[in-house]
Amino acid sequence: MGRYLIGIGLLLVAIGLIWRYAPWLVQWFGKLPGDIRYESGRTRVLFPITSMIVVSIALTILINLFRK
């Protein structure tokens, strides 16, 4: 359990560093075809369906590579 928590923590730190120092790497998130965006006045709602599918596939591939 501890190993998984450390791994998740390191992953979150890496994502935070990328978001802070290389934002152009994650600008695609929420802007793919299939992502639902609703804006009205002061209200914004975003459902990044396609983006989350892409992230899920990428994480599945990475996890399967590291397990072997």
Side-chain angles (χ1 to χ4, degrees):
M1 179 82 173
R3 186 186 301 180
Y4 290 120
L5 289 175
I6 291 171
I8 291 170
L10 291 174
L11 180 67
L12 288 174
V13 168
I15 291 171
L17 289 172
I18 289 171
W19 208 318
R20 172 80 171 137
Y21 296 109
W24 62 89
L25 292 175
V26 290
Q27 284 181 344
W28 59 270
F29 190 82
K31 297 180 182 176
L32 294 176
D35 291 339
I36 299 169
R37 180 182 299 218
Y38 173 75
E39 296 182 20
S40 173
R42 293 177 23 197
T43 304
R44 288 188 205 167
V45 179
L46 174 66
F47 296 108
I49 296 168
T50 306
S51 297
M52 291 308 297
I53 291 172
V54 170
V55 169
S56 175
I57 291 170
L59 286 175
T60 300
I61 291 170
L62 284 173
I63 289 170
N64 285 328
L65 286 175
F66 285 115
R67 280 193 172 184
K68 293 187 178 193

